[in-house]
Structure formats: structure tokens, C-alpha cells
Amino acid sequence: MKYYSTNQKVSGVSLEEAVVKGLASDKGLFMPDVIKKMPTEFFDNIDKLSFQEIAYAVADAFFGEDVDAESLKQIVYDTLSFDVPLVKVEDNIYSLELFHGPTLAFKDVGARFMSRLLGYFIKKENKGGLVNVLVATSGDTGSAVANGFLGVDGIRVFVLYPKGKVSKIQECQFTTLGKNITAIEVDGTFDDCQRLVKSAFMDEELNKKMKLTSANSINVARFLPQAFYYFYGYAQLKRLGKADNCVICVPSGNFGNITAGLFGKRMGLPVKRFIAANNSNDIFLQYLNTGVYTPRPSVATLANAMDVGDPSNFARVLALYGSHEAICADISGCRYSDPQIAEAIQNCYKANKYILDPHGACGWQALKDGLKPGETGIFLETAHPAKFLEKVENILGIKVEIPQKLQEFMKGTKQSVPMTKEFEDFKAYLMQ
Ligand SMILES: *Cc1c(COP(=O)(O)O)cnc(C)c1O
């Protein structure tokens, strides 16, 4: 399969190059030339297949031309060593719990898949030498990437994070791992971390000395595997006999997650329509309403993983559909303010005894507001509520149980490399 760039100046790129580069040289995002339809029999039998079987069939459609069957199967099965259960919250509303991976966030799926695919290419090339992954994080991405790449041969990961500005739980998730993971504690802001990473990619001397790559969410190897659980969510709904008129609602920030679902629909997944749930950063909703895309600086909200003012995957949505009209036919939008998010968490707990995290809360509320008679809704619960412990406990006035997996991280010893926000210092560190 070849990949082209959403900016149209680059095409015919191999999967390997797209994965290693991340972003196309014209600064666009990579898209596959062809999105294959899954055969009818696949959907007829989907309710009888396991998550791994479904995911492998979808992975084969994306990557089967570029990765041999045995390796691809192993990558998929290795990635999905946890379940993504569909949980009934109330009549006609189901939560697809994406938070049962190692860091309790949906980003685990993409990060684990990408690390293994990159590992596969490195091994195949057998050029020796390490590949260095640089990632800047304000919390969730760093933990998913660090845990996803932990122990993968030939890859070293540097997680740059702003000192004192990530939650304790998040910090533990990438500073206690050791092995091939190094946490760099930057005396600055998240923007400083991102600037250091970008400067490193542009520095000629550094790139001559070492192979650098990024693991952010625009990478095709992180983004496409997210389609797996849409198919599996549908399969579970079909087992319940509820799969007609299925609506999927996705709490969205950079729009990578929902775009993977839209790819699923293009592959034939019988989803009637999608809802993109936003917090106050409602750039996409405004686009739906006006037909004009106007990015603006993000504002901080309770659902902070969705605080995005210029969603990077918007370019992919546009490339997939081609027009405002076509986008509006498949996707609607909505926005929720912080008080509305808090109210949703309270109302859902009161009515159903189901604890939402602030991101999932936007998804649940959007279905409450937007589901039509005869439709069944699935919202993606993108993180475990314990990842936002203080917020959720304050809103509900109850104690939220911390899963064993999170507690384990908190037992480890923090190890980090202190760093100034000056690029020269960061470069000197990488060069030695
Ligand atoms: C990253 C993230 C999102 C947003 O996903 P996008 O793919 O950027 O739209 C939503 N919820 C949580 C908990 C996240 O970590």
C-alpha cells in the first residue's frame, strides 16, 4: 500500500517510510491510497469472532501488503493483550471501555501497535543501531508511548515533560519504567517540551549522528489501529441483537480516534452515523455549523486531553470526505462546558451507578441529547475515571477505586533527567 499526503505534494510513500517519518515532507498527514472494503461474510460472522481475530482481519486490510502475515498477526495479538468490553449503561446506551490497557487510556492501542510495527521494520532492515523516539507530553501520550515501547528491541524512548505540570499518577507512568525509557524533566512548559522535540528533528548534526523519530498521534501506525475496536464494539452490539441503527459517539480532541472510526465506516462497518463530542474547544462543531474551519488557541477544561484548538486530524477528515456537505451527512457535533461535564458525571452516576471520566462524560451526554428513537448508541469511554481521580471524586463526593495497574506504577521509583528549556543543553545531552 502506498501513502499520499493530505497536502497533495507527496505521494507513493511506503508504509515503512510513513511510519518512520510520521509527517510528510510537505507537512501534510499520510493517508492510504486505498481503503479496502471488508467482505460481507466478515460482517455476517463478526459476532462470532474474538477481538484479536477481528483486529487481525482489519489490520490485514491496512497493512497486509507490507507486513508478512505471521508477523502482522503477532503484532496484533501482542498489542491487544487486554479486552475492550461493551458495557450497558442504560437502555440503548453502551460504553465501549477502551481503558483496560496498561496505562488505562485508549492511546495504549495505537502506541503498542506502533512500537511493534516499528520494531518489525527495524529488525527487517537489520541495519543495527538504535532508533530514538522523542515524545513531548502533557501527561497521557507520554505514559501510553513509554509503556507501549517498553522493552522493544532497537528502540530508545525519550519522554519530555514539563516539571511539576503533570499529575502524580501520570508522572509515575513514565518515570518509573527504566529499561529503554528515559524521562526528561524539563524546567519549562509543555510548549517548551514540544519545541525541544521539533528543534531536534530539524537539527542536521543531531540527525546525522542518530536516527530520530516521533510517536505522536498523527503517525499512521498509531492512528489506523484505532479502527480495530470500532469493529469489535459493533460485534458485541450484534451479539446483543442491537446492531441496527448504531450511532457511535467519540469524545474528540485531535480527532485521530474518530477518524479511525470513519475509516471503519468506509470499510463497510454498518454504523449509521457518528457524533463528535467536544468540550469548550468546539472548533469542529463550528466548522459543521458554518462550513469554515477556524482554529483558535485552546482553553483549559475538565476534559484536558481534548483541549485542542487546531485538531491535527481534521485534514484527514476533509481528505476522506472531500466536502462539508459529505462530512455533515455522517457526523454531527456538540459541545459541553465544564459545569455541563460535571453535571453529566453526577447524573449518570445517580441514574446508572456508572462512573464516567470527564471525557467519556461528553460522549454519554451527547447520546442522551442526540439519540433518536430506534437508535442504539455507543460512546467511547476513553480513560478510566481514576486517571482523573481528584476531579471525579470532587464532583461525585465519593472515593473512586484506583485499579491495581495504576497502584503498581505508584510503587516504583521515579527516575528522570533534569533539563533546562534551552535546545543547546538538550542537544548536548543527546549527543553524548
Ligand atoms: C487523547 C484523548 C482524547 C482525544 O482523542 P483524539 O484522538 O485526540 O480525538 C480523548 N480522551 C482521552 C482520555 C484522551 O487521552
Side-chain angles (χ1 to χ4, degrees):
M1 181 83 68
K2 297 291 184 211
Y3 291 78
Y4 70 93
S5 160
T6 52
N7 282 351
Q8 307 285 352
K9 295 192 182 71
V10 174
S11 62
V13 173
S14 70
L15 173 65
E16 180 174 353
E17 190 184 337
V19 172
V20 171
K21 276 197 169 159
L23 201 65
S25 49
D26 65 0
K27 304 265 190 292
L29 276 61
F30 286 116
M31 291 279 280
D33 273 349
V34 180
I35 300 173
K36 291 183 189 161
K37 278 246 184 293
M38 301 300 288
T40 323
E41 310 88 72
F42 175 68
F43 293 108
D44 289 344
N45 294 316
I46 197 167
D47 50 332
K48 296 171 195 76
L49 301 177
S50 71
F51 184 24
Q52 289 84 355
E53 287 167 335
I54 291 169
Y56 174 62
V58 176
D60 185 49
F62 286 138
F63 307 117
E65 293 170 17
D66 304 294
V67 183
D68 69 87
E70 206 40 54
S71 304
L72 185 58
K73 198 163 191 171
Q74 195 175 346
I75 292 170
V76 169
Y77 277 62
D78 215 27
T79 298
L80 303 177
S81 57
F82 49 90
D83 195 20
V84 175
L86 187 75
V87 173
K88 181 174 178 177
V89 175
E90 59 193 87
D91 278 348
N92 299 325
I93 297 187
Y94 294 81
S95 168
L96 187 62
E97 294 185 345
L98 305 182
F99 57 67
H100 295 277
T103 77
L104 309 190
F106 81 87
K107 292 184 174 72
D108 285 326
V109 173
R112 285 166 71 85
F113 188 93
M114 181 185 164
S115 71
R116 283 152 183 81
L117 188 62
L118 196 56
Y120 165 82
F121 283 131
I122 290 169
K123 210 159 154 194
K124 202 175 96 184
E125 297 276 301
N126 200 16
K127 280 183 189 144
L130 284 171
V131 171
N132 299 278
V133 172
L134 303 183
V135 59
T137 187
S138 54
D140 257 7
T141 301
S143 41
V145 168
N147 283 274
F149 282 77
L150 181 65
V152 178
D153 278 345
I155 303 180
R156 199 162 57 172
V157 177
F158 297 93
V159 179
L160 286 81
Y161 73 102
K163 180 179 173 166
K165 294 194 178 66
V166 304
S167 79
K168 188 95 203 130
I169 289 180
Q170 286 174 326
E171 189 177 29
C172 289
Q173 286 183 311
F174 49 78
T175 58
T176 60
L177 299 170
K179 293 189 187 163
N180 58 331
I181 311 297
T182 305
I184 313 264
E185 189 171 9
V186 178
D187 194 1
T189 61
F190 169 66
D191 291 330
D192 291 322
C193 297
Q194 204 151 30
R195 188 175 39 77
L196 290 177
V197 168
K198 280 190 181 151
S199 304
F201 288 131
M202 287 185 309
D203 189 274
E204 233 173 90
E205 197 186 358
L206 203 52
N207 282 275
K208 256 190 211 137
K209 163 126 180 166
M210 58 203 296
K211 197 161 191 166
L212 296 177
T213 187
S214 89
N216 64 15
S217 64
I218 49 126
N219 199 297
V220 285
R222 259 195 73 189
F223 141 76
L224 286 173
Q226 296 174 150
F228 300 161
Y229 44 71
Y230 285 86
F231 287 85
Y232 181 51
Y234 173 84
Q236 293 179 78
L237 206 56
K238 191 163 184 236
R239 278 180 212 159
L240 301 171
K242 305 271 288 178
D244 292 341
N245 295 317
C246 166
V247 176
I248 299 187
C249 178
V250 188
S252 295
N254 262 322
F255 280 71
N257 204 5
I258 194 170
T259 305
L262 300 172
F263 269 64
K265 183 161 194 214
R266 189 60 63 87
M267 294 166 87
L269 185 68
V271 175
K272 187 178 165 196
R273 62 191 182 91
F274 286 83
I275 305 175
N278 280 156
N279 56 27
S280 297
N281 297 284
D282 62 349
I283 291 83
F284 185 73
L285 177 61
Q286 294 215 327
Y287 167 76
L288 292 178
N289 290 342
T290 63
V292 185
Y293 180 71
T294 316
R296 58 174 200 265
S298 66
V299 297
T301 75
L302 274 176
N304 62 0
M306 309 189 329
D307 294 349
V308 179
D310 185 4
S312 44
N313 284 289
F314 178 76
R316 284 200 169 112
V317 178
L318 208 53
L320 191 63
Y321 284 92
S323 77
H324 176 250
E325 195 186 353
I327 292 173
C328 289
D330 265 6
I331 319 165
S332 63
C334 53
R335 82 182 284 277
Y336 296 104
S337 65
D338 276 1
Q340 288 173 315
I341 291 172
E343 209 179 304
I345 292 174
Q346 281 170 342
N347 288 342
C348 183
Y349 184 67
K350 248 186 254 159
N352 310 306
K353 287 280 167 285
Y354 190 83
I355 303 178
L356 296 163
D357 95 292
H359 307 81
C362 299
W364 177 78
Q365 190 62 50
L367 289 177
K368 291 295 279 183
D369 293 341
L371 215 53
K372 295 178 189 136
E375 291 178 338
T376 303
I378 295 177
F379 68 95
L380 304 195
E381 183 38 298
T382 48
H384 191 286
K387 291 203 82 174
F388 304 90
L389 196 65
E390 279 157 42
K391 291 174 184 172
V392 175
E393 287 187 343
N394 280 339
I395 290 166
L396 289 179
I398 60 165
K399 279 268 162 234
V400 174
E401 201 179 322
I402 303 178
Q404 193 60 33
K405 271 183 214 159
L406 271 190
Q407 291 181 23
E408 290 302 321
F409 284 115
M410 298 174 83
K411 283 183 199 152
T413 314
K414 173 180 160 179
Q415 282 178 303
S416 66
V417 177
M419 188 62 60
T420 72
K421 59 184 178 191
E422 302 307 323
F423 178 63
E424 285 315 310
D425 291 337
F426 180 50
K427 180 174 170 182
Y429 168 78
L430 288 177
M431 293 290 284
Q432 46 108 343

